[in-house]
Amino acid sequence: MRGASGLPRLTELDIAQLYRNAADWPLPGKALLGGAVVCLLWVAGNTFYLSGAREQLRQLEAQEVALEQQVALKTVQVAGLESQASDLNTMQGRFTNLLRQLPAETEVPGLLEDIGRLSATNGLVLEAIDLLDDQPRTLYIESPMQIGVTGAFHDLAAFINGMAGMPRIITVHDLAFSHVDPSGLRLSLVAKTYRYNHQAGDDLEADLHPPSPALAEPVAYDFSSLRDPFQSPSRQMVRPAGRPAAGPDFARPRGVLESVALDQFEMVGTLSLGTQTFVLLRGASSVYRLAIGDYLGPDHGRITAIHDSHVELAELFPDGQGAWLERSQTLALNVNS
């Protein structure tokens, strides 16, 4: 009961009296009071004064990291700036030279002669060439023309390839194919040639910002192994693949083995007699001994090399256009023989 009765007396202590008697407190009490006051001041200062400054410090640290990244990026860019400026000057010079290579005046008469000669070389019929209106551009002038030619598909493709290989700059646009007969096509296209624009000559250097165009090297159009996509495979003549060669000697008497198809033979071994090597081939229920230079098969096949694992032949066959082609064939050793 004394604790309950003493609590009201404790709460009624005079705070001022405690403050006046603080000088008489023992040292641990003074230290405890001082620590409490310092903690109270630190909490109040941190809450009302340092919280805003700390948030601002975090923002500045994040900004510092971003600036360091930008500095690193700019350093890399500056390191390559000199070489980029040199490359830009080189490209501008190349572009200037390309523009100066364009003819100052129109060269349509010479171009028409070249197109007519190219179409005749590829066996085409040049139906019409219509000159269209010039199209002025910033640094050059386009001179388009509408061209119509008739012929086989691969000959038309060779004609387009030949136009790309002309010495003057020519671009081909708006290609359109149409049938004129079961074996022929009509090609309509727009060919553009270019010449230098004098009116833009004074401002040429100031306008040369784009990179120089890449000029492709002309490539020969080889259609020997390609088919015509505008004809069904059953109707078109397949152009055989092979090397041009002289025709066979029809006055030569043909041997018995030249009447048997090549796929009816199989290599069963080789035979050496002194310095000469023979190949042993089995066909038509018999084994034959052949040397280099002997003929085999219906396509004028002639043995060109004999190896332990295979034998090589060269066959001749017509290309369907009056010439002869040569192809290589190989018969491998049948290890189960």
Side-chain angles (χ1 to χ4, degrees):
M1 298 301 294
R2 291 184 60 186
S5 61
L7 183 59
R9 290 196 299 271
L10 181 61
T11 57
E12 294 173 1
L13 291 176
D14 190 0
I15 300 301
Q17 185 66 29
L18 291 175
Y19 177 76
R20 285 191 297 268
N21 296 333
D24 300 331
W25 289 6
L27 184 60
K30 293 179 180 181
L32 182 62
L33 178 61
V37 172
V38 171
C39 292
L40 181 61
L41 293 176
W42 183 84
V43 171
N46 182 68
T47 304
F48 297 102
Y49 296 100
L50 297 181
S51 59
R54 187 176 293 106
E55 180 64 25
Q56 185 178 5
L57 177 61
R58 283 197 295 266
Q59 295 177 359
L60 292 176
E61 289 176 347
Q63 186 178 0
E64 179 185 7
V65 173
L67 291 176
E68 289 177 351
Q69 294 176 352
Q70 293 181 7
V71 169
L73 178 61
K74 298 296 182 182
T75 302
V76 174
Q77 294 176 349
V78 170
L81 182 61
E82 184 176 355
S83 61
Q84 292 177 1
S86 177
D87 294 342
L88 179 60
N89 292 332
T90 302
M91 289 188 292
Q92 289 179 351
R94 291 178 56 191
F95 191 67
T96 303
N97 294 333
L98 289 175
L99 287 176
R100 289 173 180 171
Q101 290 177 4
L102 294 177
E105 302 295 337
T106 179
E107 296 183 353
V108 172
L111 178 60
L112 296 181
E113 294 179 1
D114 292 342
I115 293 176
R117 189 180 303 110
L118 182 62
S119 62
T121 302
N122 290 279
L124 302 175
V125 177
L126 183 61
E127 295 183 345
I129 299 181
D130 297 328
L131 301 180
L132 306 179
D133 295 335
D134 290 345
Q135 301 293 329
R137 301 294 185 231
T138 302
L139 302 176
Y140 57 88
I141 298 176
E142 292 182 357
S143 297
M145 60 188 70
Q146 186 78 37
I147 301 176
V149 289
T150 302
F153 171 78
H154 292 296
D155 296 330
L156 293 173
F159 171 74
I160 297 174
N161 182 76
M163 292 185 64
M166 287 184 175
R168 56 178 53 85
I169 300 177
I170 298 177
T171 58
V172 179
H173 310 263
D174 303 333
L175 281 76
F177 291 92
S178 60
H179 277 286
V180 293
D181 56 62
S183 60
L185 294 171
R186 184 181 189 278
L187 171 64
S188 176
L189 59 88
V190 175
K192 295 182 180 180
T193 185
Y194 305 87
R195 67 178 188 270
Y196 185 67
N197 189 353
H198 285 287
Q199 297 179 354
D202 296 337
D203 301 330
L204 181 62
E205 296 296 334
D207 294 337
L208 287 180
H209 295 294
S212 59
L215 299 180
E217 294 293 333
V219 179
Y221 179 73
D222 183 12
F223 53 84
S224 59
S225 60
L226 304 177
R227 73 174 188 87
D228 188 343
F230 290 90
Q231 294 186 15
S232 62
S234 60
R235 296 183 55 188
Q236 65 177 318
M237 180 188 66
V238 178
R239 299 175 183 262
R243 300 179 298 275
D249 182 10
F250 290 102
R252 176 185 60 83
R254 297 175 67 91
V256 177
L257 299 183
E258 293 184 80
S259 61
V260 182
L262 188 62
D263 57 4
Q264 299 299 317
F265 293 94
E266 61 179 359
M267 179 180 176
V268 295
T270 58
L271 177 65
S272 297
L273 296 177
T275 59
Q276 188 174 10
T277 302
F278 298 90
V279 61
L280 301 179
L281 299 179
R282 181 167 58 197
S285 302
S286 300
V287 176
Y288 301 91
R289 186 185 69 180
L290 301 176
I292 294 178
D294 290 342
Y295 288 87
L296 181 68
D299 293 325
H300 309 280
R302 185 171 55 88
I303 297 177
T304 58
I306 298 175
H307 304 277
D308 293 337
S309 60
H310 66 280
V311 59
E312 299 178 4
L313 302 92
E315 293 184 329
L316 297 176
F317 61 98
D319 66 348
Q321 298 181 356
W324 287 84
L325 300 176
E326 181 183 274
R327 65 188 171 198
S328 298
Q329 296 283 16
T330 301
L331 291 178
L333 175 66
N334 187 352
V335 296
N336 298 322
S337 299

